[in-house]
């Protein structure tokens, strides 16, 4: 998945190719592992070839908290913790162009991190997530979704927010005149996590 956002320039960003109205491209990738030899370099090369400025990764299988400078000026920030029978770990791989717009980041858990960048209308808050799978315990799923709900409530309301990652849920929407034919508004895998329609109505969010 690729998202394209128009960003304002920052001091010193012109040397990195950021004009008054430049586009940054984001990728979300369930990578399955970054532990294999040469995998991080492969991801960087793929991002460069596709002109991607920031890649939000899930299932990195890297444990602990890290903030590392890599080849060609790329930076990897993320965290991970082992969970029973599940591959975890989320990270954000940032190009030099993306770093020029970076305002900050928060590593919340092995399934959730927040990155804030300067956007033409103000800060853009990006939540990089990897939701628990359907077989996970209700306690684990509830903890994750409540944590995400708290995170998107932080900061001033005018800030734009974008959720990227593997949500392990299918969104279903049915208009009012289709209810008798297609059933309830929310259904399918993941409906026990939260009422997705209500969540979307109550938050000014962009989902991918």
């Amino acid at each position: 998945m690729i998202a394209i956002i128009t960003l304002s320039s920052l001091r010193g960003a012109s040397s990195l190719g950021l004009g008054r109205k430049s586009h940054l491209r984001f990728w979300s990738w369930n990578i399955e592992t970054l532990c294999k030899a040469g995998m991080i370099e492969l991801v960087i090369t793929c991002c460069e070839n596709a002109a991607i400025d920031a890649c939000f990764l899930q299932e990195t299988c890297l444990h602990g908290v890290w903030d590392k400078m890599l080849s060609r000026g790329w930076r990897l920030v993320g965290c991970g913790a082992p969970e029973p029978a599940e591959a975890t770990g989320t990270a954000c791989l940032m190009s030099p162009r993306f770093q020029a717009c970076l305002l900050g980041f928060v590593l919340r858990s092995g399934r959730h991190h927040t990155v804030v960048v300067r956007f033409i209308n103000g800060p853009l808050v990006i939540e990089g997530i990897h939701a628990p799978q359907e077989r996970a315990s209700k306690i684990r799923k509830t903890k994750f979704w409540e944590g995400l709900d708290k995170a998107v409530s932080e900061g001033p309301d005018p800030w734009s927010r974008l959720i990227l990652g593997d949500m392990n849920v299918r969104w279903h929407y049915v208009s009012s005149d289709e209810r008798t034919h297609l059933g309830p508004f929310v259904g399918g895998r993941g409906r026990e996590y939260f009422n997705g329609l209500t969540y979307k109505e109550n938050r000014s969010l962009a989902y991918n």
Side-chain angles (χ1 to χ4, degrees):
M1 191 286 301
I2 298 177
I4 301 177
I5 308 294
T6 302
L7 300 175
S8 63
S9 60
L10 297 177
R11 180 184 301 175
S14 58
S15 62
L16 296 170
L18 286 173
R20 176 57 188 163
K21 287 188 178 181
S22 298
H23 293 90
L24 290 189
R25 295 160 62 91
F26 307 150
W27 230 352
S28 174
W29 190 351
N30 190 319
I31 198 67
E32 295 185 352
T33 183
L34 283 178
C35 296
K36 294 180 181 178
M39 194 64 182
I40 293 178
E41 186 67 23
L42 174 63
V43 176
I44 291 176
T45 300
C46 289
C47 288
E48 290 176 337
N49 290 342
I52 299 299
D53 295 289
C55 188
F56 291 80
L57 302 165
Q58 305 91 45
E59 294 191 12
T60 63
C61 295
L62 297 176
H63 297 156
V65 176
W66 64 91
D67 180 357
K68 299 179 180 179
M69 292 303 301
L70 305 172
S71 63
R72 304 192 289 282
W74 286 75
R75 180 181 181 185
L76 181 71
V77 300
C79 56
E83 292 185 17
E86 285 200 44
T88 62
T90 61
C92 181
L93 183 63
M94 310 176 187
S95 71
R97 295 181 77 243
F98 186 84
Q99 293 172 57
C101 298
L102 181 67
L103 295 178
F105 61 89
V106 179
L107 304 177
R108 300 182 184 276
S109 71
R111 291 185 173 276
H112 182 193
H113 62 273
T114 303
V115 177
V116 185
V117 293
R118 187 173 178 179
F119 171 53
I120 198 167
N121 292 322
L124 170 65
V125 183
I126 308 170
E127 306 292 345
I129 66 166
H130 177 211
Q133 296 183 11
E134 191 167 12
R135 64 174 177 265
S137 69
K138 186 175 181 179
I139 293 175
R140 190 184 303 170
K141 288 182 284 192
T142 300
K143 180 180 179 180
F144 171 83
W145 290 110
E146 288 182 347
L148 177 60
D149 186 70
K150 180 181 178 181
V152 299
S153 300
E154 297 174 355
D157 287 339
W159 287 12
S160 300
R161 290 173 171 82
L162 176 68
I163 296 179
L164 292 174
D166 185 351
M167 303 189 77
N168 276 315
V169 63
R170 288 196 299 263
W171 297 102
H172 293 250
Y173 176 78
V174 181
S175 62
S176 58
D177 60 345
E178 295 174 326
R179 291 188 198 182
T180 57
H181 306 289
L182 299 179
F185 281 88
V186 178
R189 189 182 71 182
R191 59 182 170 182
E192 75 279 13
Y193 297 174
F194 64 104
N195 187 319
L197 184 66
T198 300
Y199 192 87
K200 291 177 71 175
E201 287 177 338
N202 291 338
R203 302 291 181 195
S204 298
L205 296 170
Y207 290 82
N208 268 299

